[in-house]
């Protein structure tokens, strides 16, 4: 059963919006806008639950209500991406060899919460608490893709306990953000794969 679908309005456009297939109106939850030009990072917009915004509006209308999130690289040479949002401050990064071995993964993407939070049982989390991970190996990789294919999918696992009793932010909102930001990471990975192949040919 599909819980989320990422939709592009044009095949030639990279920008997309996340929707729930169960929603007959397919209102957008989060849009991701890819901007042309060197050094211009993508921008995400987290839309209010009651926004009732179409995919086309979510992608094209810069004046929509919602939270604009600029995606930033941790550093000039790092593939890790930082997301500073009202849901928390997060970082997607690639797992180390030890972390990959522990998950039996060829490739491992890890999402960590960089700000501190309090779990429902009163436990305070540390900076760097793991929120989600995308595991890729022969079992979970997208059928038809190889180990060194850029942007191939895998199994996304989440731990959203920190938001279970949150009054202002529901776990479902965080879940949608995790999915949309993971897709963004895969898109950037696929773009790097294409660029590297072009550079090799040239």
């Amino acid at each position: 059963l599909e819980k989320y679908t990422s939709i592009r309005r044009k095949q030639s456009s990279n920008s997309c919006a996340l929707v729930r297939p169960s929603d007959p109106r397919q209102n957008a939850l989060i849009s991701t806008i890819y901007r042309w030009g060197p050094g211009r990072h993508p921008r995400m917009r987290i839309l209010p639950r009651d926004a009732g915004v179409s995919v086309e509006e979510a992608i094209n209308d810069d004046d929509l209500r919602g939270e604009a999130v600029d995606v930033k690289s941790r550093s000039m040479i790092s593939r890790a991406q930082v997301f500073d949002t009202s849901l928390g401050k997060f970082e997607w990064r690639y797992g180390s060899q030890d972390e990959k071995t522990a998950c039996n993964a060829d490739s491992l993407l890890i999402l960590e919460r960089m700000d501190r939070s309090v779990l429902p049982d009163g436990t305070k989390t540390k900076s760097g608490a793991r929120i989600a991970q995308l595991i890729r190996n022969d079992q979970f990789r997208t059928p038809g893709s190889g180990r060194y294919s850029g942007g191939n999918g895998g199994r996304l696992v989440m731990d959203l306990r920190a938001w279970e009793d949150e009054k202002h932010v529901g776990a479902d909102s965080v879940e949608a953000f995790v999915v949309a930001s993971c897709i963004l990471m895969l898109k950037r990975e696929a773009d790097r794969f294409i660029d590297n192949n072009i550079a090799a040919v040239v």
Side-chain angles (χ1 to χ4, degrees):
L1 179 66
E2 280 186 70
K3 194 166 185 180
Y4 298 99
T5 301
S6 182
I7 297 177
R8 292 184 297 169
R9 269 311 181 200
K10 297 178 181 177
Q11 190 171 359
S12 59
S13 172
N14 291 319
S15 297
C16 57
L18 194 72
V19 303
R20 297 186 194 277
S22 59
D23 177 5
R25 303 185 71 177
Q26 292 209 319
N27 290 321
L29 304 170
I30 299 175
S31 60
T32 305
I33 311 302
Y34 294 90
R35 299 177 288 176
W36 291 101
R40 300 197 71 193
H41 294 281
R43 172 176 289 166
M44 301 180 75
R45 186 180 299 276
I46 302 172
L47 299 162
R49 293 186 185 186
D50 60 349
V53 173
S54 70
V55 170
E56 190 162 348
E57 289 173 313
I59 293 173
N60 296 324
D61 191 346
D62 290 333
D63 298 322
L64 284 175
R65 285 189 307 133
E67 179 186 1
V69 179
D70 285 317
V71 182
K72 299 177 182 178
S73 297
R74 185 203 293 167
S75 70
M76 291 287 290
I77 59 172
S78 175
R79 293 187 294 169
Q81 300 294 300
V82 178
F83 306 76
D84 199 348
T85 80
S86 61
L87 307 173
K89 185 173 183 178
F90 304 93
E91 179 183 276
W92 274 108
R93 65 174 178 83
Y94 284 83
S96 66
Q97 187 57 53
D98 286 346
E99 288 170 324
K100 288 190 289 186
T101 300
C103 294
N104 188 29
D106 298 332
S107 175
L108 180 67
L109 270 168
I110 296 171
L111 179 65
E112 294 173 332
R113 184 168 183 177
M114 307 312 292
D115 56 338
R116 296 175 183 271
S117 62
V118 180
L119 296 176
D121 63 3
T123 305
K124 291 185 178 180
T125 65
K126 297 179 181 179
S127 176
R130 190 173 300 193
I131 303 303
Q133 58 188 22
L134 180 74
I135 301 169
R136 287 181 281 186
N137 54 29
D138 290 339
Q139 181 182 359
F140 299 137
R141 190 180 299 111
T142 304
S145 64
R147 179 174 181 173
Y148 299 106
S149 301
N152 56 350
R155 173 167 287 185
L156 181 62
V157 183
M158 305 182 215
D159 179 0
L160 306 180
R161 287 175 296 166
W163 292 273
E164 283 179 357
D165 294 334
E166 179 69 52
K167 294 180 180 178
H168 304 293
V169 179
D172 58 338
S173 297
V174 182
E175 181 182 83
F177 167 77
V178 171
V179 173
S181 59
C182 184
I183 292 171
L184 181 148
M185 291 296 291
L186 294 178
K187 170 68 172 62
R188 291 179 69 81
E189 182 179 280
D191 287 346
R192 282 194 303 272
F193 181 79
I194 292 170
D195 290 344
N196 289 342
N197 277 347
I198 291 173
V201 170
V202 172

